[in-house]
Amino acid sequence: MAAELVAGRPTLAVFASDLGPGDPERASIMSQAGTLLARRGAAIVCLAEKDAIAVPLITSARAAGGVVRIIADDELKVPAALSGVPIERLGERAARVARMAELANVFVGLPGSLASASALYSSWVSAGGGSGGKPVVLLNRNRAFEVLRGFSADVLSHSLKRHDRYVLFADSVEDLWNKVHWVLGETGHKVAG
C-alpha cells in the first residue's frame, strides 16, 4: 500500500501542464479538477520539473481545503501562490518519479503537455505498471489521450489481464472523479462519494 500523505485519504498523483501550445482551457480544467478532488477527500501529489508546475490545480485544491505535496527538482522557483505547500526536492528524475509512484494510490492524467504524459508514464512504470496494481485514470477532454486509448486497446489488452480496470478514460472532470472513486473501491480504499 502507498505511503499516504494523510492517513485515511487516498493519494492521487496528478500530472498536468499548461505549458506549450494547445488547448487554452487547460488552466480551467486543472482548477475544476483540483477543487473536485480536494472536496472528495483525496490528497494530491504533483511533479514539478524545470519550473513546469500545475499552479491552477494546486491553488484550487488548497482553496477547497485539500492536502497537496509537490515533488520537485532542485531548480524549481516556487511561485508566491504556492508558498506554504510542502515540497520535496529530489535531484534525480528517477528519484522524483519513484517518489510519485511510492505515494500514489492512483495516477491521474489531465490534458497537458508531452512532458506531463511522459512523467505519468515513467511514474506508473516505476510503480510496476499494470502488475503494480495502481490504476491510471486519464481525462480524455478534447481527445487529449485518444492515442493512449488506442494503445490500451491494442497493446495492453494482450499483455495486461483486466487492462480496462487499470487504464481508464474519463470524458469530464465529474466522470474523472467517478472513475477514480471506482478504482479506489476496486483496490480497497474507502472514500467519500
Side-chain angles (χ1 to χ4, degrees):
M1 182 173 287
E4 295 184 8
L5 295 180
V6 176
R9 286 191 189 199
T11 299
L12 308 180
V14 181
F15 296 84
S17 174
D18 58 1
L19 296 179
D23 191 345
E25 71 178 325
R26 286 187 207 151
S28 174
I29 289 170
M30 282 191 270
S31 293
Q32 292 172 37
T35 299
L36 181 64
L37 297 174
R39 286 185 179 160
R40 297 295 191 212
I44 296 172
V45 62
C46 293
L47 187 65
E49 297 178 310
K50 299 179 184 168
D51 290 327
I53 186 165
V55 174
L57 173 80
I58 296 166
T59 56
S60 65
R62 291 180 68 213
V67 175
V68 180
R69 177 174 294 168
I70 299 169
I71 308 300
D73 60 21
D74 292 330
E75 300 168 19
L76 177 69
K77 296 176 190 93
V78 181
L82 301 182
S83 64
V85 177
I87 299 174
E88 288 184 43
R89 293 184 184 268
L90 300 169
E92 299 295 320
R93 185 162 203 271
R96 290 189 295 276
V97 297
R99 182 66 173 145
M100 294 287 288
E102 176 188 355
L103 291 170
N105 298 108
V106 176
F107 296 97
V108 174
L110 301 179
S113 66
L114 186 56
S116 63
S118 173
L120 183 152
Y121 179 75
S122 296
S123 294
W124 186 62
V125 168
S126 182
S131 64
K134 294 184 180 184
V136 177
V137 181
L138 302 166
L139 178 57
N140 198 28
R141 174 88 173 160
N142 294 331
R143 301 171 56 96
F145 292 106
E146 201 63 23
V147 170
L148 291 178
R149 184 189 299 256
F151 174 81
S152 175
D154 293 343
V155 177
L156 290 180
S157 63
H158 298 289
S159 60
L160 179 61
K161 186 177 179 182
R162 299 172 65 183
H163 78 284
D164 57 334
R165 294 179 181 257
Y166 290 102
V167 181
L168 292 92
F169 298 87
D171 297 317
S172 67
V173 173
E174 293 79 16
D175 188 34
L176 178 78
W177 172 252
N178 291 338
K179 299 283 183 5
V180 167
H181 187 260
W182 182 80
V183 297
L184 286 169
E186 288 289 299
T187 58
H189 290 85
K190 295 186 183 346
V191 293

